[in-house]
C-alpha cells in the first residue's frame, strides 16, 4: 500500500513537472529564460562554495591556533611547575579540553571544505551541461530562422513573378491603351510575342508558386518539430540539470547544517559533560577536583623525602643497635643498574618495563602522539613513588585516564639508569654501525653490536624493541612511526658519559649530527626488528 502511494505521488509530481515544461514552451523566450535560471542557480552554487571555503579556512586556522596554544601552555606549565598537585592536574586537563575543541574544529573545517569542493565541481559540471543544451537550442533556433527566411524569400519571388505575369496579361490585352513615355520610341509587339511573354511569365509564376508552397510546408514542419519536439526536450533537459543543481545544493546545505550542529554539540560536550557525582570531564567538574589540602599534604611528603627528620636528642643511648642497612627495603627501581634489576626477574626484563609496556599495549596503542606527549608531572611522580615503595599495583585506573603519564614514567626510568640501555662503552660502536652507508651492512653491524651487549641489556632491549614495534604497527592511529619513535628514544637509550666533558665543547652542529645518528640507530633496529632479534 505504501509503495502504491509513493508511486502515485511520484507520478503526480512527474505530470506536474511536464505541465510546467509545457507552459514554458508556450512562453516567448522560454528557452532563454530557462538558460538564465540554470545560470543563476549555478552561480549560487559557486557563491555558497566560496563561503564554505572561507569558513573552512577560518575554522582550520582557529583549530590549529587553539591546539598550538593549548599544547604550548601545557608544556610551559609542566616545565615551570613540575609538582603542582591537583591544581596542576586540573589545569592540564582543562588545556586538553581546549586542545580537543581545536581538533574538533579542524575536523569540522575538513568536512565543510569537502562540501565546498563538491559544490564547485557540481557548478562546473552544470555549466558544461548547460552549454551543451544551449548550443543545441541555438542550432534548432537557427534552423527555424533559416526556414522562415527561405519562406520569406520564396514569397517575395512569387509576388514578383505574379506582378510580372499581371503586366504581361495587361500588355496582351492592350492595357494600358496609351503608350508610356518609356515605350514611346519602342516598336509595337505583335500578338504572338505578347502571348509568348505572358506564357513565360505565367510559367515562372507557377514555378515560384510551387517553390513557395514547398517552402511553406517545410517551414511548417520545421516549426512543428521545434515547438513540439526539440523545444520541450531542451526545456526538459534544462529542468533536469536545474533540478540536479538544486537537489545537490539542498543536500550540501543540509549536510553543512548537520555538521555545524554536530561540531557545536561536540564543543558543548567537551565544555560541559558533567555528571551529577562530578566525575565528568567538563570544565566545572574538573574545577571541583582541585584539593588544596591534599596538595599541601603531598608537598609535605615530598619535602620529607628530600630532607632528613630533625633528631631532637642525638645522645640518647639505644640498646641492641642494628646497622643502618638492617631496615633498608630493597625496592628501589629508579637509578638502579640493569644488572641488579635483572637478578630479581626470571627473564631478566625489569618489572617496571614489563608493567608499563603491558598497560600501553592494552590501553594506548591508538593514542595519538604516544611516547611523544608528556604526562602530568604530579601523576608521574606519584607512579614513580609507588614503584619505589613496592606498591603491588603502581599503575591505578586513575592513571589510565592519561596514558602519557605511564609512558613518561617509563622514559624517566630509562633516563635515570646509571649506565644507559646502550652502555657508554658500546656507544661509539653503535654510532659507527649507524654511519655505514649500505643498509645491509648497517643492519649487520648493529646486529653484531647488540649480540655483544651484556645479558641484562640485551634482554631489556629486545623486550623494549618488540614493544615499540607493536606501537609503530598502529601508526595509522597513533601517528608514531619508526622515525618518530627513534627521535624520542635515541637520546633516551644512548649516552656517552665518558665523553661528556668533551661533548660540552662540541659545536652545535656536531651535537645535532650525533643526535641524528642516535635516532638512526634506534630507527634501524625498529625497521629490522625481525632480522636483528631472531625468535
Amino acid at each position: 500500500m505504501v509503495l502504491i502511494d509513493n508511486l502515485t505521488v511520484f507520478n503526480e509530481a512527474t505530470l506536474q513537472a511536464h505541465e510546467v515544461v509545457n507552459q514554458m514552451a508556450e512562453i516567448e523566450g522560454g528557452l532563454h529564460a530557462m538558460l538564465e535560471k540554470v545560470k543563476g542557480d549555478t552561480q549560487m552554487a559557486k557563491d555558497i562554495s566560496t563561503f564554505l571555503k572561507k569558513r573552512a579556512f577560518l575554522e582550520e586556522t582557529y583549530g590549529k591556533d587553539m591546539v598550538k596554544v593549548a599544547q604550548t601552555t601545557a608544556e610551559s606549565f609542566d616545565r615551570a611547575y613540575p609538582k603542582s598537585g591537583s591544581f596542576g592536574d586540573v589545569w592540564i586537563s582543562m588545556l586538553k579540553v581546549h586542545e580537543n575543541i581545536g581538533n574538533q574544529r579542524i575536523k569540522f573545517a575538513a568536512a565543510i571544505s569537502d562540501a565546498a569542493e563538491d559544490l564547485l565541481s557540481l557548478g562546473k559540471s552544470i555549466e558544461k551541461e548547460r552549454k551543451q543544451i544551449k548550443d543545441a537550442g541555438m542550432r534548432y533556433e537557427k534552423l527555424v530562422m533559416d526556414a522562415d527566411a527561405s519562406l520569406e524569400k520564396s514569397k517575395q519571388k512569387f509576388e514578383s513573378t505574379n506582378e510580372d505575369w499581371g503586366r504581361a496579361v495587361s500588355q496582351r490585352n492592350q492595357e494600358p491603351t496609351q503608350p508610356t513615355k518609356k515605350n514611346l520610341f519602342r516598336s509595337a509587339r505583335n500578338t504572338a510575342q505578347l502571348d509568348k511573354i505572358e506564357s513565360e511569365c505565367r510559367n515562372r509564376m507557377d514555378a515560384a508558386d510551387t517553390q513557395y508552397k514547398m517552402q511553406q510546408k517545410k517551414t511548417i514542419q520545421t516549426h512543428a518539430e521545434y515547438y513540439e519536439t526539440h523545444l520541450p526536450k531542451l526545456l526538459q533537459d534544462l529542468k533536469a540539470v536545474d533540478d540536479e543543481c538544486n537537489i545537490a545544493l539542498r543536500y550540501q546545505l543540509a549536510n553543512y547544517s548537520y555538521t555545524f550542529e554536530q561540531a557545536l554539540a561536540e564543543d558543548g560536550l567537551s565544555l560541559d559533560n558533567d555528571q551529577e557525582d562530578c566525575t565528568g570531564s567538563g570544565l566545572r567538574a574538573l574545577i571541583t577536583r582541585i584539593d588544596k589540602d591534599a596538595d599541601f599534604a603531598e608537598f609535605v611528603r615530598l619535602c620529607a623525602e628530600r630532607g632528613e627528620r630533625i633528631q631532637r636528642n642525638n645522645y640518647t643511648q639505644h640498646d641492641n643497635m642494628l646497622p643502618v642497612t638492617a631496615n633498608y627495603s630493597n625496592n628501589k627501581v629508579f637509578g638502579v643498574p640493569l644488572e641488579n634489576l635483572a637478578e630479581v626477574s626470571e627473564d631478566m626484563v625489569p618489572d617496571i618495563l614489563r608493567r608499563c609496556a603491558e598497560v600501553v599495549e592494552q590501553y594506548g596503542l591508538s593514542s595519538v602522539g604516544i611516547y611523544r606527549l608528556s604526562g602530568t608531572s604530579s601523576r608521574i611522580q606519584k607512579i614513580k613513588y609507588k614503584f619505589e615503595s613496592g606498591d603491588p599495583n603502581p599503575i591505578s585506573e586513575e592513571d589510565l585516564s592519561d596514558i602519557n603519564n605511564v609512558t613518561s614514567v617509563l622514559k624517566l626510568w630509562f633516563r635515570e639508569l646509571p649506565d644507559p640501555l646502550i652502555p657508554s662503552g658500546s656507544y661509539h660502536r653503535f654510532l659507527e654501525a649507524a654511519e655505514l652507508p649500505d643498509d645491509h651492512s648497517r643492519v649487520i653491524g648493529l646486529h653484531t653490536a647488540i649480540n655483544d651487549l651484556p645479558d641484562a641489556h640485551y634482554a631489556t632491549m629486545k623486550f623494549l624493541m618488540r614493544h615499540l614495534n607493536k606501537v609503530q604497527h598502529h601508526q595509522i592511529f597513533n601517528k608514531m612511526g619508526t622515525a618518530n619513535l627513534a627521535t624520542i628514544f635515541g637520546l633516551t637509550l644512548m649516552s656517552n658519559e665518558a665523553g661528556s666533558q668533551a661533548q660540552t665543547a662540541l659545536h652545535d652542529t656536531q651535537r645535532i649530527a650525533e643526535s641524528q645518528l642516535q635516532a638512526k640507530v634506534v630507527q634501524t633496529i625498529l625497521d629490522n626488528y625481525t632480522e636483528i632479534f631472531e625468535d
Side-chain angles (χ1 to χ4, degrees), residues 439-478:
D439 292 343
H440 182 66
S441 301
R442 190 183 313 119
V443 173
I444 292 176
L446 288 173
H447 190 184
T448 304
I450 291 172
N451 285 338
D452 291 341
L453 289 174
D455 292 343
H457 290 254
Y458 179 87
T460 303
M461 174 172 283
K462 181 178 180 180
F463 186 90
L464 174 65
M465 292 304 164
R466 180 167 66 241
H467 167 63
L468 295 181
N469 190 44
K470 292 180 182 178
V471 172
Q472 68 93 10
H473 276 309
H474 290 73
Q475 62 179 292
I476 189 174
F477 303 108
N478 58 41

Side-chain angles (χ1 to χ4, degrees), residues 340-373:
N340 294 9
L341 296 174
E343 291 177 357
V344 296
S345 175
E346 295 181 0
D347 55 1
M348 304 188 76
V349 176
D351 181 65
I352 184 174
L353 172 58
R354 186 183 302 282
R355 285 175 179 262
C356 291
E358 288 175 353
V359 169
V360 170
E361 291 173 10
Q362 186 173 359
Y363 299 102
L365 288 179
S366 298
S367 179
V368 177
I370 189 74
Y371 283 111
R372 177 177 61 82
L373 300 177

Side-chain angles (χ1 to χ4, degrees), residues 115-360:
E117 291 296 334
D118 290 343
L119 282 178
L120 186 61
S121 176
L122 170 71
K124 293 179 180 179
S125 175
I126 296 297
E127 279 185 337
K128 182 178 179 181
E129 294 182 31
R130 176 185 175 275
K131 185 178 184 305
Q132 292 174 348
I133 297 173
K134 180 181 178 181
D135 292 343
M138 296 301 102
R139 187 168 62 253
Y140 290 133
E141 283 187 346
K142 188 176 185 303
L143 290 176
V144 172
M145 290 189 293
D146 290 346
D148 289 342
S150 298
L151 180 63
E152 182 63 25
K153 185 177 180 181
S154 299
K155 180 182 178 182
Q156 291 176 358
K157 186 175 182 180
F158 169 74
E159 291 175 348
S160 176
T161 55
N162 187 35
E163 290 177 0
D164 291 343
W165 176 72
R167 284 193 295 270
V169 170
S170 298
Q171 289 178 1
R172 189 188 65 178
N173 295 332
Q174 297 181 352
E175 293 180 4
T177 56
Q178 298 298 327
T180 63
K181 291 182 179 181
K182 183 177 180 181
N183 298 325
L184 184 62
F185 300 102
R186 183 178 293 178
S187 59
R189 296 173 180 173
N190 57 34
T191 303
Q193 289 176 329
L194 291 175
D195 288 341
K196 182 180 179 182
I197 292 173
E198 187 271 339
S199 177
E200 290 175 351
C201 288
R202 186 174 62 250
N203 291 336
R204 286 197 294 272
M205 183 192 69
D206 290 340
D209 181 53
T210 301
Q211 178 64 30
Y212 175 61
K213 289 178 180 178
M214 290 176 58
Q215 185 60 44
Q216 192 176 40
K217 183 179 180 181
K218 183 178 179 182
T219 302
I220 292 173
Q221 182 181 358
T222 302
H223 274 257
E225 289 179 352
Y226 176 71
Y227 288 104
E228 295 176 10
T229 304
H230 298 312
L231 182 57
K233 177 66 166 55
L234 292 171
L235 292 172
Q236 191 68 43
D237 291 345
L238 279 174
K239 186 177 184 306
V241 170
D242 194 49
D243 287 346
E244 179 186 357
C245 180
N246 289 325
I247 291 172
L249 270 176
R250 181 175 178 178
Y251 168 77
Q252 292 296 350
L253 288 176
N255 184 51
Y256 166 71
S257 300
Y258 170 75
T259 308
F260 194 8
E261 291 173 3
Q262 188 179 35
L264 292 177
E266 290 177 351
D267 285 353
L269 288 174
S270 298
L271 292 170
D272 186 11
N273 65 343
D274 303 335
Q275 308 294 327
E276 294 183 358
D277 57 356
C278 297
T279 59
S281 58
L283 296 183
R284 287 201 302 269
L286 288 173
I287 293 171
T288 60
R289 298 178 189 175
I290 298 177
D291 189 344
K292 63 180 182 61
D293 295 330
D295 289 348
F296 185 75
E298 177 67 11
F299 170 75
V300 173
R301 186 188 66 78
L302 292 175
C303 289
E305 285 184 355
R306 289 193 296 266
E308 297 181 358
R309 295 183 64 84
I310 298 175
Q311 298 295 329
R312 296 183 179 276
N313 187 354
N314 293 331
Y315 302 102
T316 302
Q317 181 67 37
H318 297 280
D319 297 330
N320 302 323
M321 294 185 63
L322 297 175
V324 177
T325 58
N327 294 323
Y328 175 73
S329 178
N330 190 23
N331 290 323
K332 190 168 179 59
V333 176
F334 288 78
V336 177
L338 275 177
E339 289 76 8
N340 294 9
L341 296 174
E343 291 177 357
V344 296
S345 175
E346 295 181 0
D347 55 1
M348 304 188 76
V349 176
D351 181 65
I352 184 174
L353 172 58
R354 186 183 302 282
R355 285 175 179 262
C356 291
E358 288 175 353
V359 169
V360 170

